[in-house]
Amino acid sequence: MHIREIWNQLSPDTRQWLIDNPGSMIIPRTVTAKLNHESGEDGPVDGHGGTLLTEDDREFIHDQARASKDEHAGDPRFFDSVRPED
C-alpha cells in the first residue's frame, strides 16, 4: 500500500487514526477495510486481515503526525479545576 498516494482519498477519521498511531507497523483489519473501501484498492493483507506498512508509509505517517502536532502547538488548552474550599 502507498499511503502517500491515497492520503487525500481517506476520510478524516481514517487519517486521524493513522496520525494517532504513527508507530504501527501493521494496520488492523478494521482500519485496513476502511482504507481499501475509501481508496478503492484491495492491497495485500496478512493472515489476520491487516496491512503491513512499508518504511515509506511509516515515514509519511510520522511526518503527518509531526505536522499535525506542530499545527496545534499554539492552541490554548483548558483544564477543569476545582478551587479548594476555604
Side-chain angles (χ1 to χ4, degrees):
M1 180 161 292
H2 303 284
I3 299 294
R4 182 185 312 269
E5 295 172 8
I6 64 169
W7 186 255
N8 292 328
Q9 298 172 15
L10 302 178
S11 70
D13 290 340
T14 304
R15 280 188 255 164
Q16 191 61 50
W17 187 93
L18 292 168
I19 288 170
D20 290 344
N21 299 280
S24 295
M25 295 185 76
I26 299 174
I27 300 174
R29 68 176 175 223
T30 54
V31 180
T32 293
K34 288 177 71 173
L35 281 170
N36 290 341
H37 175 69
E38 292 169 0
S39 69
E41 296 181 10
D42 282 327
V45 295
D46 66 6
H48 300 285
T51 299
L52 180 63
L53 292 172
T54 65
E55 181 66 33
D56 184 54
D57 289 337
R58 291 192 306 270
E59 186 176 316
F60 177 77
I61 293 167
H62 277 272
D63 291 344
Q64 295 299 314
R66 278 191 287 278
S68 176
K69 180 181 173 187
D70 292 344
E71 185 178 297
H72 298 291
D75 292 349
R77 294 183 173 221
F78 297 98
F79 298 95
D80 289 337
S81 63
V82 177
R83 181 179 165 166
E85 294 186 27
D86 294 332

